Amino acid sequence: MTGREQDIARMKHGRLAAAVGAAASVAVLGLVAGALALPRAMPAATSAAAGIGRTRQAGALLTGEFSPKGGWAPVPYQDAQLSVPGSWLVESAEQVSCGILPPAGMIFAGIKPVIPKGSGCGLTASLAWIVPAGHIPPGIGHRRPTAVIHGIPVYRLPSGNGSVRYLVPDLGVQVGARGPGARRVLATLSRSPLSVVLGRGPTGPVPAGWTWRQFGGIRFATPRSWSLQRADQWATCGTGLVPRTLLLIDATRPPLRLPCPYMIPTAAADQAQPGLTAVTGKQAADSVGQTYLSCRVRHGVRICLSSVTGQGGSLGGVLIFSVSRPRGHAATFLLLGLSGSGTGARAIFASIRAVPL
């Protein structure tokens, strides 16, 4: 279980939960400034491709970076993402929150735009959502789309007054928004970094200047500019990542259950950060605390994706997976930040291979 999941288990839905966490978290929100991991790791003395496919057109995004509007933040769900003002609350299956003060807006990732009764608040005037597509009419690809947004065809669906709703067959989702900025939000539709990382097609060579590392029986490459930290115990909050850092944990001790501060789940706070955490050792599986379903063998290793892959909310910005020999038990677990367009994360994911015996 990641530190953020520990937060959620302790701090339940609604204003009451937010108010309880406020006293402890207000003092530290300015310090973390949106960084979603607070590891306790000793710094090191020095710092320094093809696979599990999901989206057939992911290769089209392998050039350039998608930049949302200033002050906005991307919110992914499965293969799609929308960008919204950073102060909007992110609502997902793992947490529905009202915040402390009345929010300017909400975006629902993977769940219908509904606030449970008894939460002490209701829907905001401005909101957006990304949900599974449901039934996709056969042959819809041969119909003329209502619009094409960043190369993605969308089809208008019936919606209420002040709302706009689209079916997005290529990404397997429906997206919608309501309020004065609804069309601006929907105009940010793009493929999520996850769809780029797991997309089929060639990935190209590892970028020049990256550093190759060997840890937990595997090799992989990361940007040379990232810092390197090491630890012998899982002791992180948030997503388990440290921004622009390679964190190597040889988990010889049981995970340390930290009193993680409650973070208001805004789009800015949940925004993905670049980074990689690799965990091995006898306490590794308990430290990461996930289940793994979809597996594929590539470059001499078996990679299995966590069951939360593509889930919206705080875990939407990280890809969690296990790595092992093709016929062995999971030995190493990795948490990869899904920031930007996903091209950097795709290069890291594609570089993973077995260390020769």
Side-chain angles (χ1 to χ4, degrees), residues 10-338:
R10 286 191 293 268
M11 312 297 291
K12 297 296 183 181
H13 310 313
R15 288 186 189 276
L16 179 60
V20 172
S25 64
V26 167
V28 301
L29 286 177
L31 297 177
V32 299
L36 300 183
L38 301 174
R40 296 183 179 178
M42 297 299 294
T46 60
S47 58
I52 305 171
R54 290 165 59 90
T55 307
R56 66 175 183 274
Q57 300 179 21
L61 275 192
L62 293 184
T63 58
E65 292 279 336
F66 174 73
S67 299
K69 304 172 186 295
W72 287 35
V75 178
Y77 174 70
Q78 294 184 359
D79 289 340
Q81 73 177 14
L82 292 173
S83 292
V84 298
S87 61
W88 281 26
L89 291 178
V90 179
E91 315 287 6
S92 65
E94 67 181 29
Q95 177 167 314
V96 176
S97 173
C98 297
I100 299 175
L101 301 175
M106 298 175 173
I107 178 168
F108 292 77
I111 59 174
K112 294 180 179 180
V114 175
I115 296 293
K117 293 181 178 180
S119 297
C121 67
L123 294 175
T124 51
S126 295
L127 59 89
W129 60 90
I130 315 173
V131 296
H135 174 69
I136 298 178
I140 193 171
H142 300 294
R143 289 166 43 188
R144 183 176 181 178
T146 304
V148 177
I149 305 174
H150 295 112
I152 305 166
V154 301
Y155 301 82
R156 185 73 179 263
L157 295 171
S159 58
N161 291 335
S163 298
V164 183
R165 191 163 64 105
Y166 291 127
L167 175 65
V168 191
D170 281 7
L171 304 185
V173 297
Q174 289 184 27
V175 297
R178 85 172 188 194
R183 294 187 182 277
R184 292 180 61 203
V185 169
L186 293 178
T188 68
L189 175 69
S190 67
R191 298 182 185 278
S192 69
L194 177 68
S195 74
V196 175
V197 172
L198 300 183
R200 299 185 184 276
T203 57
V206 170
W210 280 27
T211 301
W212 282 91
R213 305 286 185 181
Q214 181 172 317
F215 183 75
I218 59 175
R219 295 181 68 237
F220 51 87
T222 56
R224 187 180 297 275
S225 61
W226 285 9
S227 64
L228 173 64
Q229 296 186 22
R230 296 180 183 272
D232 62 2
Q233 183 180 38
W234 176 277
T236 70
C237 292
T239 61
L241 294 176
V242 191
R244 293 177 176 81
T245 295
L246 171 61
L247 174 58
L248 304 178
I249 303 176
D250 183 6
T252 57
R253 296 190 291 163
L256 181 62
R257 307 300 184 185
L258 299 178
C260 297
Y262 176 76
M263 301 289 288
I264 305 301
T266 63
D270 279 351
Q271 187 168 351
Q273 301 290 331
L276 179 68
T277 296
V279 189
T280 192
K282 63 181 181 180
Q283 299 292 337
D286 185 47
S287 297
V288 179
Q290 298 288 333
T291 57
Y292 302 87
L293 302 175
S294 176
C295 300
R296 185 72 58 85
V297 175
R298 49 179 290 278
H299 293 319
V301 294
R302 183 178 63 184
I303 294 178
C304 299
L305 303 181
S306 166
S307 60
V308 300
T309 300
Q311 176 176 299
S314 63
L315 293 181
V318 61
L319 177 62
I320 305 173
F321 56 99
S322 67
V323 181
S324 65
R325 293 283 177 177
R327 296 185 179 180
H329 296 291
T332 304
F333 302 85
L334 293 101
L335 299 92
L336 176 62
L338 299 174

